[in-house]
Amino acid sequence: MDFIIVIFANCKRYLKDNKTIAYMFFIPIFITGFVYFINNKGDEAPNNTAAVINLDKGVYGDKLIKKLKVKRVYKSKTEALNALKSYKYTAIYELPYDFSNSINSKLKPIVNVYKVQDGNINEDFENNLKNSIKESMKINVLEKNNVIKNGKEIKKNILHISYKNISNSIKYDKLFPVINIMYLMFIYSVLFNKDLLELKKDKILKRVSSTASYGYRILASIYISIVIVQSCISILSLSAVNLVFTHSFQNFSMEVLNIILVSMISTSIAIMVSRIFEEYSIGCFIITLMDLLMFSIYLIGSDDKSKYAAAKILMKFTPFYWAVDSIRKFKVFPNAIILILIALAFFTAGSVRDSTFAKSK
């Protein structure tokens, strides 16, 4: 009972720090808003990673290219493939000579794709390509049946057809808000590292740690209270992001679970660093460095265009890989177990002889 009371008291103490709580809540919202603003501006830009070979003899090929805002269009297949081999583009899409004729004949045209490597780099472009072809076929049918006069009237017509791509995983760009929050949680652990060192400096830990076992209980109560406060504020911030930017939850239960697990890891790192480096400035530097290193390895390794094979291996040793993989693929096991083991590894490294740490000068 006393243990629960101590946890509640610590939670209340952290929640009284209005400045820290405000940082934890509002910073993810500001960063997400900035990134969304940049992305929305970028949506109007042409595609720079894909090119098109337009062999079409009709009008639908040119219309499709204009709609997709393709930057480079080739008339020669040989020239296009040479550009692909030179890595000027990641993919080349070939519109055959009978592209328009197929649409006029109510047949789905075949688009040939040439890639330098397998991957989903141009997934958005390919989805837009497929949907644009379907829309062209739909407009063609409606025009021939005198339902509409031209493609501009389709939005005014009562007939609406939507296409949805079903996948067994969530795209990375949809997970930016939760990935951003998980990254910032490691940065916030600097503040908790500072709090732990101040408790030690004020000899509060020394007074309450009368025995070694009680020292463990005190540090455990601080650990749990930090995880509770950080997780709750982060979940509220994520909810606010979804509300403000009308960003739908991809898998809210999995996002909540992994936020809690990442909070456990970030808190464990704060305790470990405070145990080893008893100077706040050094601890702050070490935590920030660890966060940047883990996140950078994860970003490089998860990039399909990355040529660093070592990064693809090392990223599996970062919590970001297992947390994001869990959310993307709706997986609890073994991801959750691995994240818990990572948290325990850091917590154990930071909590050996806690009473000794509390009593040391």
Side-chain angles (χ1 to χ4, degrees):
M1 187 66 181
D2 291 340
F3 183 69
I4 296 175
I5 293 175
V6 174
I7 293 174
F8 179 78
N10 280 320
C11 289
K12 189 175 181 180
R13 181 168 61 87
Y14 288 126
L15 289 172
K16 285 183 178 180
D17 188 350
N18 297 328
K19 185 181 293 185
T20 299
I21 297 300
Y23 286 153
M24 293 172 64
F25 181 80
F26 287 109
I27 288 180
I29 299 175
F30 291 147
I31 293 177
T32 301
F34 176 76
V35 172
Y36 275 20
F37 174 77
I38 297 297
N39 282 344
N40 289 335
K41 289 291 184 181
D43 287 342
E44 301 174 359
N47 186 283
N48 293 318
T49 62
V52 171
I53 306 171
N54 186 16
L55 304 177
D56 183 37
K57 301 299 183 181
V59 296
Y60 283 104
D62 291 332
K63 288 181 179 180
L64 180 67
I65 290 169
K66 184 178 180 180
K67 183 174 183 180
L68 295 176
K69 298 182 176 67
V70 179
K71 184 177 181 180
R72 187 67 170 92
V73 180
Y74 292 93
K75 293 295 183 180
S76 169
K77 183 175 180 179
T78 302
E79 184 184 358
L81 293 181
N82 286 335
L84 182 67
K85 292 176 183 178
S86 301
Y87 293 95
K88 291 182 179 179
Y89 304 98
T90 57
I92 301 288
Y93 298 84
E94 180 186 30
L95 305 183
Y97 70 94
D98 60 346
F99 182 83
S100 292
N101 185 55
S102 296
I103 293 177
N104 288 325
S105 302
K106 301 180 183 179
L107 298 175
K108 185 177 180 180
I110 297 175
V111 177
N112 296 317
V113 184
Y114 306 93
K115 295 183 177 181
V116 292
Q117 63 181 16
D118 293 332
N120 59 352
I121 300 172
N122 293 294
E123 183 179 359
D124 288 339
F125 180 82
E126 290 183 3
N127 288 334
N128 290 334
L129 175 65
K130 292 175 183 177
N131 289 334
S132 296
I133 291 174
K134 290 177 181 178
E135 185 176 357
S136 296
M137 296 180 68
K138 179 177 66 175
I139 292 173
N140 180 268
V141 172
L142 294 175
E143 286 178 344
K144 286 186 176 181
N145 287 277
N146 297 318
V147 177
I148 59 175
K149 292 181 179 180
N150 53 61
K152 295 180 180 179
E153 294 184 6
I154 195 165
K155 292 183 179 180
K156 301 177 182 179
N157 198 275
I158 60 172
L159 179 62
H160 294 282
I161 303 175
S162 61
Y163 302 93
K164 183 176 181 180
N165 295 300
I166 300 174
S167 175
N168 59 353
S169 64
I170 303 171
K171 293 190 293 184
Y172 284 104
D173 60 335
K174 301 294 184 182
L175 296 177
F176 173 77
V178 69
I179 294 176
N180 175 45
I181 285 175
M182 289 191 294
Y183 169 77
L184 291 173
M185 288 170 75
F186 285 92
I187 299 297
Y188 299 149
S189 63
V190 170
L191 303 173
F192 298 119
N193 167 260
K194 180 180 180 181
D195 178 72
L196 189 60
L197 290 174
E198 287 179 350
L199 289 176
K200 175 183 177 295
K201 182 179 179 181
D202 295 337
K203 298 183 179 181
I204 295 176
L205 292 179
K206 183 177 181 179
R207 290 196 296 269
V208 298
S209 300
S210 56
T211 64
S213 60
Y214 200 70
Y216 279 108
R217 291 175 61 190
I218 291 298
L219 198 57
S221 68
I222 294 175
Y223 175 89
I224 294 173
S225 62
I226 292 174
V227 171
I228 291 173
V229 171
Q230 188 181 50
S231 298
C232 290
I233 300 301
S234 298
I235 292 168
L236 287 174
S237 181
L238 178 63
S239 301
V241 166
N242 286 298
L243 180 64
V244 173
F245 301 103
T246 60
H247 174 86
S248 60
F249 289 109
Q250 299 303 311
N251 190 351
F252 186 62
S253 59
M254 295 301 294
E255 290 177 341
V256 169
L257 172 63
N258 283 279
I259 282 176
I260 295 172
L261 293 173
V262 170
S263 178
M264 291 171 59
I265 296 173
S266 65
T267 305
S268 295
I269 290 176
I271 292 176
M272 180 194 71
V273 172
S274 64
R275 170 70 171 81
I276 300 173
F277 306 98
E278 299 184 10
E279 288 291 332
Y280 171 68
S281 57
I282 299 176
C284 180
F285 172 76
I286 295 298
I287 291 175
T288 303
L289 182 63
M290 288 179 65
D291 186 22
L292 289 174
L293 184 62
M294 290 189 297
F295 195 62
S296 297
I297 291 173
Y298 167 71
L299 288 180
I300 296 172
S302 61
D303 186 358
D304 291 328
K305 295 183 290 184
S306 175
K307 298 179 181 179
Y308 300 99
K312 293 185 179 296
I313 297 173
L314 291 174
M315 74 172 179
K316 294 184 179 180
F317 292 91
T318 70
F320 296 105
Y321 171 80
W322 296 103
V324 175
D325 183 71
S326 173
I327 299 172
R328 285 189 69 231
K329 300 179 180 178
F330 313 98
K331 290 167 56 179
V332 176
F333 302 103
N335 301 56
I337 301 299
I338 293 173
L339 290 171
I340 291 173
L341 290 175
I342 293 174
L344 286 174
F346 285 123
F347 182 77
T348 302
S351 61
V352 174
R353 296 181 181 178
D354 295 319
S355 61
T356 303
F357 164 69
K359 295 175 183 178
S360 62
K361 296 182 180 180

